[in-house]
Amino acid sequence: MCGIIGYVGKKDCLKVLINGLEKLEYRGYDSAGVAYIKNKKIEIIKEEGKIVNLKKKINFKIDSNLGIGHTRWATHGKPNYVNSHPHRVGKITIVHNGIIENYLELKKELIKNGYSFKSDTDTEVACALLDYIYKETHSIEQTLAIFKDKAEGAYAIGLICDDNLDYLYAVKKDSPLIIALGKEENYIASDVPAILEYTNKYITLEDGEFAKISNDKVIVFDKDAEIVKKEIKVYDGKSGDLNKNGFEHYMLKEIYEEVEVVKQVTNDYIKDGIKSLTSNMPKLGNYERIDIVACGSAYHAGLVGKSLIEGYANIPVNVELASEYRYKKLFLNKNVLVILISQSGETADTLAALKIAKEKGAHTLGIINVVGSSIARYSDDVLYTKAGAEIAVATTKAYTAQITMLGLLALNLAYKNKEMTEKEVLEALDEAKKLPTNIQSVLNEADFYKTIARKIFKHNDVFFIGRLTDYALALEGSLKLKEIAYVNSQGYAAGELKHGTISLIEKNTPVFGIVTDTNIASKTLSNMKECKSRGANIIALVSNDLKLDKEIYDTLIEVPKVSPIFQGVLTVIPLQLISYEVAKLRKCNIDKPKNLAKSVTVE
Ligand code: F6R
């Protein structure tokens, strides 16, 4: 949420900044801007809308060796020119990601001290506060140390000061920021992929730390303003993830990558029988309960995880939205395992939930995609989903990786709790081995899914129904359609529809009935019939072991039947592809849907 880039070195600064912002645009695309040094003076260019608009205003021949850039996802004030970053007050120019929660209080104080404000943003207030402190201290290091005590909330800030034009400064709390290290050049960025084409070496700033950065030196100060030695990390992701590789959209490319992603996720746990499963998973205790906490699609993955862990390992599981969990009464102790699921590893609510769970003494396990991200670092144990960089704002391959990992975790816990025999676990792991081939066979039906999209794309109400795991998948299918195709859709527990919502079913209303659980298939099929009798256009999405009466459906999508542990991995793919095709027919901005941003680092 909001992307920050900064550069100091001998390259063409403006090219580096714009290139970095283009890589970060998935984090926000309301407006963008850069500040750079030209002839010993700071100049600012910003523009409403996407980075292409900003690019048109930039003269790339300008010689500059230091600058900061920002792509915005609006929190305070409309996405317009005045509110866009960088902001400049007095001698200080900044870009900011996060929310300064006490900005109104600070603003009042600063107005009393003679400051006036042009924008509606908390960032301009932060900038004025920094300028105010700097006027007293004449030292940016001291200014940042004092600023941290005065500003409440979350922030990652890149800063340049008129009096120190050879340096970039950075400070962070609860919002991600890295410092990337090149040869006689250094960078700051919201994440590593933004600078991966230049270097893969980086330092992660921890909460409360700040840094002074020139082309040949990086000095990091800890939260007590003492110089601290930082570990240099090497990013092992592929920069190939950052190209569309011939696909029309990142989302489509990422759906097709699911074959490889599932191989990556399962590989370590299947190569050597039961031993690889048990020895490559963290050593977990005997828990009386598991809480799975996440947001959005990761929460839907958690619901799949609940069905699997309860069903196979016989441990009670609560699945909670992180934004609720962090404020509710929690019954936590060391006998509860709290699992945090997050692609980015930076989602503000999930991170806050993790901190609370740790404070209350629960054991925490992150299921995370981005290596070294905040949630991965703070969790007691981590399982990495290894899906690679996901650029499309709507998640697909990372979600698939999450539910695959939850299946493996359920197997591990089931074996540990003696709820499954070695033979049963090995049979399930054999199915995991066949998943990539099965995923490919689902992807091979892409043209058929297109025909379904053509039939439904003009409808503004679409329903997805299912029970248990199929209900969790229904929620995910519905979210995909809402977020990328702007179709009002509902994911519903199949049995619940007739308690009110069925009144919305009209002639031709598309209803996806998801049925892969043989034990309760007949129940969901009855619910589909109830919709059909009210005129619905039924699209049945079923595992191919079920033989359906033709009267139940209008269109039939079949996916290969596999162990229930991994069935969701196959079943979700037609839903992802149909949403993609509907969004395309509705001419939506598929990779960057309106109002959204990837990596939600504000509450
Ligand atoms: C939907 C989507 C979001 C994320 C949610 C959590 O397609 O991508 O709902 O799943 O914002 O994000 P992470 O997984 O990064 O914590």
Side-chain angles (χ1 to χ4, degrees), residues 33-209:
V34 289
Y36 56 94
I37 294 170
K38 184 184 154 198
N39 300 332
K40 301 199 173 359
K41 276 179 120 177
I42 296 175
E43 300 211 341
I44 295 180
I45 305 178
K46 42 193 200 174
E47 191 51 295
E48 239 181 271
K50 302 230 167 65
I51 289 157
V52 277
N53 302 355
L54 173 70
K55 231 169 145 180
K56 284 185 202 142
K57 289 177 86 176
I58 289 182
N59 171 5
F60 285 97
K61 291 198 182 110
I62 289 172
D63 187 20
S64 173
N65 299 110
L66 188 149
I68 49 181
H70 188 266
T71 178
R72 179 169 185 247
W73 186 86
T75 58
H76 294 66
K78 285 191 181 136
N80 59 21
Y81 178 87
V82 191
N83 290 333
S84 59
H85 302 206
H87 284 275
R88 177 172 170 78
V89 179
K91 291 188 166 182
I92 306 293
T93 304
I94 66 167
V95 287
H96 165 224
N97 172 18
I99 291 181
I100 307 294
E101 283 166 3
N102 59 339
Y103 84 106
L104 285 176
E105 251 167 71
L106 294 170
K107 194 171 183 174
K108 270 191 212 146
E109 279 302 304
L110 289 160
I111 289 170
K112 276 192 213 149
N113 285 299
Y115 283 86
S116 58
F117 294 89
K118 298 188 222 80
S119 78
D120 308 315
T121 63
D122 54 336
T123 303
E124 193 185 11
V125 175
C127 194
L129 175 62
L130 287 159
D131 182 66
Y132 178 64
I133 307 170
Y134 180 68
K135 275 187 188 150
E136 295 287 310
T137 61
H138 302 289
S139 144
I140 294 292
E141 290 90 317
Q142 281 181 41
T143 300
L144 291 175
I146 297 171
F147 172 83
K148 291 190 297 136
D149 292 335
K150 294 196 180 289
E152 289 165 18
Y155 48 81
I157 290 176
L159 179 153
I160 32 186
C161 171
D162 288 8
D163 293 339
N164 295 270
L165 293 180
D166 293 331
Y167 293 97
L168 269 179
Y169 295 87
V171 59
K172 92 135 220 159
K173 181 180 159 264
D174 289 335
S175 283
L177 199 66
I178 58 129
I179 301 169
L181 312 171
K183 206 164 164 234
E184 291 183 46
E185 59 180 12
N186 291 306
Y187 307 76
I188 57 170
S190 298
D191 65 26
V192 187
I195 44 74
L196 206 51
E197 108 180 43
Y198 311 114
T199 176
N200 62 356
K201 294 199 181 63
Y202 69 103
I203 287 170
T204 315
L205 282 187
E206 297 301 331
D207 286 347
E209 290 183 341

Side-chain angles (χ1 to χ4, degrees), residues 294-300 341-348 350 367-368 370 375 390 392-396 398-399 402 476 479-480 483-484 596-600:
C295 303
S297 293
Y299 168 78
H300 297 157
I341 307 177
S342 176
Q343 186 286 127
S344 62
E346 301 293 350
T347 301
T350 314
I367 297 187
I368 307 295
V370 177
I375 303 176
E390 192 178 59
V393 165
T395 183
T396 51
Y399 167 86
Q402 286 161 353
E476 177 58 11
L479 178 61
K480 286 282 97 66
E483 66 181 330
I484 63 162
L596 297 183
K598 207 163 180 79
S599 190
V600 184

Side-chain angles (χ1 to χ4, degrees), residues 288-292 302 305-307 309-310 315-319:
E288 67 194 30
R289 191 184 85 229
I290 295 177
D291 286 355
I292 301 183
K306 173 183 166 78
S307 285
I309 296 171
E310 286 185 340
I315 307 170
V317 180
N318 284 332
V319 188

Side-chain angles (χ1 to χ4, degrees), residues 426-446:
L426 286 175
E427 276 166 15
L429 291 180
D430 263 351
E431 299 239 3
K433 283 185 196 151
K434 290 183 215 138
L435 273 178
T437 317
N438 279 321
I439 294 174
Q440 191 56 56
S441 75
V442 179
L443 290 171
N444 291 346
E445 299 299 316

